[in-house]
Amino acid sequence: MIGASVASLAIGDVLYAFRAEGPAEAFYYGMFVLVATALLQFTRFGSLLSDRARLIDLLAASCTTLLVIWVFLIGGHGQIGKISAADVIGDLLLIAVAVRLVLAAGRNVSAALLLAGSIGVLASDIFWSLSHGPVTEIGYVVLYVTWGLAALHPSMKGLTEPMPPNPTPWRGHWAALLGVSVATPPTVLLVEALNGAVVDGVVIAVVGAITLLLTITRLADSIAQNSRAAEREHALRTASGALVAAADQPAVEEAVHAAVAQLMPATAVREMLFATDDRRLAESALPTEPIGSKSRPRSWLAGSDGDYGTLVCPLWLEPMAVARPSGGALIVTARRDVLAATRDALEVLAGQAAMALDRIMLVEAVGRRDSDQYLRTVISNTAELMLVIDEDKRIRYASPALRTLIGEESLSPLATFTDLVHPDDRGPVRRAFSASGDGKLFCSLRRSDDSQILVEATYRDLREDRLVQGYVVTMQNVTAGHDPQEQHPHLDHVDELPAWVNRRSAQHKFRY
């Protein structure tokens, strides 16, 4: 659009040189329309000047103020040379937007060059109307050179980087200012008509059209902003209901996928990953937290590829503002402008998913605790030897009869089944519990007085059970009156070679 505006200005210069002043003026005015459209792109949703509501209000007020000054102070009462009111008003508005762009971008070379070109064209429009000559045309040359350099300079990319949205709350005085701006052009036209002939009809019409366009843009932005907010609210409300009803991790992941599909257009999303632990994050080659940060933020950009970027939202527990101990994150690769617009909603969704996962984990932990308590109550007075082993092979529950048998009043919280077994039997025990499925094995338990007890252990693999999530082992003491070799035909997950049987039999004979 900026290139087209410069081309329109150049065509107007060529037509003016051939004395076609009418078409030349049309191209000159068209240059302002193209420039306005280009600068509005810098204020589109998700760009540098994402909060363009105040800018539109100020532009409308400035435009109508210049109209009043021109009609009642300059035009008709003391017109200065052949200065075009439309050109001056357009130049001033262009400078206003360029100044706003410079203030928002900071030390950006391209923004400063755009401002310099805008000042140059205003100077030439004023001085060239007073005195024709090469010197008064320097401002046009400055416009061409500075805008060309602004387009070529690498800092131009910074003006179009997507930024997080900054919704502006409604305030009555800004709405009143916009209403006065819209009512000013017809009021000026009415005053001129009542005082006689309408002298500045063209200027009034141009300013009225600009003000009306700005007002329509302002209303359209408000409607679009409310629509997006309503869509995000509906998506998050639906996701909250689904996450509350989720009973396991797949249900949580399904709810998150559905929410992301509602928050972001399908064409804008390249990939999405819902990782619930650091292992999957490592497999994705993404950092679990940004480098050099003292505290984990709610989200960060892990990388960008052209128009696409990757947003990582760690699974935080809201409103406690702490990360889940097991880590994890919601990772979305999509267009950067869409990520910037939905970043807050994705952070909220990640927090809700973290709370759902921890609720499920706590419910399962409470269920296992109640199950273990029930088990303790039922078998506290029986002679049954029983163990419940977690997936990490640690003993979660041991029956009182087993503790009495090995001569231990209590077991360490970090004790494993292999810690209770004689060193010669630890290899088969590890192999049995490394495989999946149920089975039976023979092993010797070490007592506190260093004596040994031969037991027949039958185990069930209940790691997939939601309440157990581990192995249930029942044992029978076969030390007295049994030959261990007679028990071997029903072994599972152990070596069945005759040499091993003979070796085990010999070991037990010498041991006992």
Side-chain angles (χ1 to χ4, degrees):
M1 286 295 176
I2 291 179
S5 65
V6 174
S8 178
L9 183 60
I11 293 173
D13 289 340
V14 173
L15 293 176
Y16 191 85
F18 285 97
R19 299 294 188 270
E21 297 184 2
E25 289 293 332
F27 276 98
Y28 288 152
Y29 295 147
M31 172 258 189
F32 289 112
V33 175
L34 294 173
V35 169
T37 306
L39 293 180
L40 282 177
Q41 296 303 309
F42 289 116
T43 65
R44 72 185 188 277
F45 188 74
S47 280
L48 183 66
L49 302 181
S50 56
D51 180 15
R52 66 179 180 183
R54 298 289 81 85
L55 178 62
I56 291 177
D57 295 340
L58 291 174
L59 286 178
S62 302
C63 191
T64 53
T65 301
L66 293 173
L67 172 65
V68 172
I69 293 174
W70 184 268
V71 171
F72 295 107
L73 298 181
I74 298 179
H77 297 285
Q79 185 166 344
I80 305 175
K82 297 181 179 180
I83 298 176
S84 172
D87 289 344
V88 173
I89 292 174
D91 293 337
L92 291 176
L93 295 178
L94 184 60
I95 290 175
V97 178
V99 168
R100 179 70 179 87
L101 196 62
V102 169
L103 295 177
R107 297 181 179 180
N108 188 287
V109 177
S110 294
L113 291 173
L114 290 175
L115 177 59
S118 304
I119 296 174
V121 72
L122 173 63
S124 288
D125 281 341
I126 294 176
F127 292 110
W128 189 86
S129 300
L130 300 176
S131 174
H132 299 318
V135 177
T136 58
E137 294 180 352
I138 294 177
Y140 298 126
V141 178
V142 171
L143 172 72
Y144 290 129
V145 173
T146 55
W147 282 18
L149 291 175
L152 296 175
H153 199 274
S155 61
M156 174 59 75
K157 182 181 179 181
L159 299 181
T160 56
E161 286 290 337
M163 301 293 290
N166 184 21
T168 303
W170 185 87
R171 290 186 175 88
H173 60 277
W174 288 105
L177 179 64
L178 185 61
V180 171
S181 301
V182 174
T184 298
T187 302
V188 172
L189 180 62
L190 178 62
V191 171
E192 279 202 345
L194 294 177
N195 291 335
V198 177
V199 180
D200 302 298
V202 175
V203 177
I204 295 173
V206 171
V207 174
I210 294 175
T211 308
L212 182 61
L213 177 62
L214 292 173
T215 305
I216 293 175
T217 303
R218 180 76 168 85
L219 294 176
D221 287 348
S222 300
I223 294 173
Q225 179 178 332
N226 291 334
S227 299
R228 285 190 292 266
E231 291 173 359
R232 289 195 296 269
E233 180 184 356
H234 175 71
L236 291 176
R237 186 169 60 249
T238 304
S240 297
L243 291 173
V244 168
D248 50 18
Q249 180 177 322
V252 173
E253 187 168 355
E254 182 180 355
V256 171
H257 277 270
V260 172
Q262 287 184 313
L263 289 172
M264 309 175 72
T267 56
V269 181
R270 177 181 292 178
E271 186 179 1
M272 197 205 89
L273 173 65
F274 183 66
T276 56
D277 53 49
D278 289 333
R279 178 179 58 81
R280 291 186 63 182
L281 284 178
E283 290 176 356
S284 305
L286 293 174
T288 55
E289 64 181 57
I291 299 174
S293 63
K294 296 182 179 179
S295 60
R296 298 181 66 177
R298 296 186 63 184
S299 66
W300 66 86
L301 289 173
S304 60
D305 179 17
D307 293 335
Y308 287 82
T310 299
L311 182 68
V312 179
C313 298
L315 298 183
W316 286 78
L317 295 179
E318 299 291 350
M320 292 180 289
V322 294
R324 297 184 71 243
S326 59
L330 170 62
I331 307 168
V332 180
T333 300
R335 288 206 315 265
R336 291 185 297 167
D337 56 338
V338 177
L339 287 178
T342 58
R343 185 167 183 169
D344 291 341
L346 292 176
E347 292 174 353
V348 173
L349 179 62
Q352 292 177 344
M355 293 185 68
L357 290 173
D358 280 71
R359 173 185 57 80
I360 294 171
M361 181 184 67
L362 292 174
V363 169
E364 292 176 350
V366 170
R368 287 195 300 270
R369 184 200 64 185
D370 294 342
S371 178
D372 293 345
Q373 185 65 35
Y374 175 78
L375 186 63
R376 289 188 183 98
T377 304
V378 171
I379 67 174
S380 60
N381 297 320
T382 66
E384 187 73 20
L385 306 177
M386 180 176 291
L387 283 176
V388 179
I389 303 175
D390 283 333
E391 191 173 1
D392 58 0
K393 308 303 184 294
R394 288 187 174 90
I395 297 175
R396 191 168 77 224
Y397 171 75
S399 63
L402 177 63
R403 296 197 300 269
T404 302
L405 181 65
I406 63 176
E408 296 285 349
E409 294 184 359
S410 62
L411 299 178
S412 170
L414 302 179
T416 62
F417 185 37
T418 55
D419 295 337
L420 307 180
V421 176
H422 191 274
D424 293 340
D425 295 331
R426 289 178 181 176
V429 170
R430 289 194 185 98
R431 288 196 297 270
F433 287 100
S434 297
S436 59
D438 304 338
K440 184 187 297 184
L441 59 85
F442 285 83
C443 60
S444 298
L445 302 181
R446 292 193 307 174
R447 303 189 69 218
S448 58
D449 57 359
D450 292 334
S451 61
Q452 301 170 27
I453 303 171
L454 180 63
V455 295
E456 177 188 5
T458 302
Y459 58 91
R460 293 190 61 193
D461 185 359
L462 298 178
R463 288 177 294 176
E464 300 300 327
D465 189 277
R466 184 174 62 88
L467 293 178
V468 180
Q469 295 186 359
Y471 296 90
V472 176
V473 183
T474 57
M475 291 175 285
Q476 181 181 0
N477 186 358
V478 295
T479 302
H482 294 276
D483 184 358
Q485 187 175 356
E486 297 175 357
Q487 308 294 334
H488 291 310
H490 302 289
L491 296 182
D492 294 331
H493 302 297
V494 295
D495 198 342
E496 298 177 357
L497 294 177
W500 179 86
V501 175
N502 294 333
R503 182 172 63 252
R504 288 279 295 145
S505 178
Q507 289 175 351
H508 280 287
K509 287 177 181 178
F510 282 111
R511 184 180 305 168
Y512 296 104

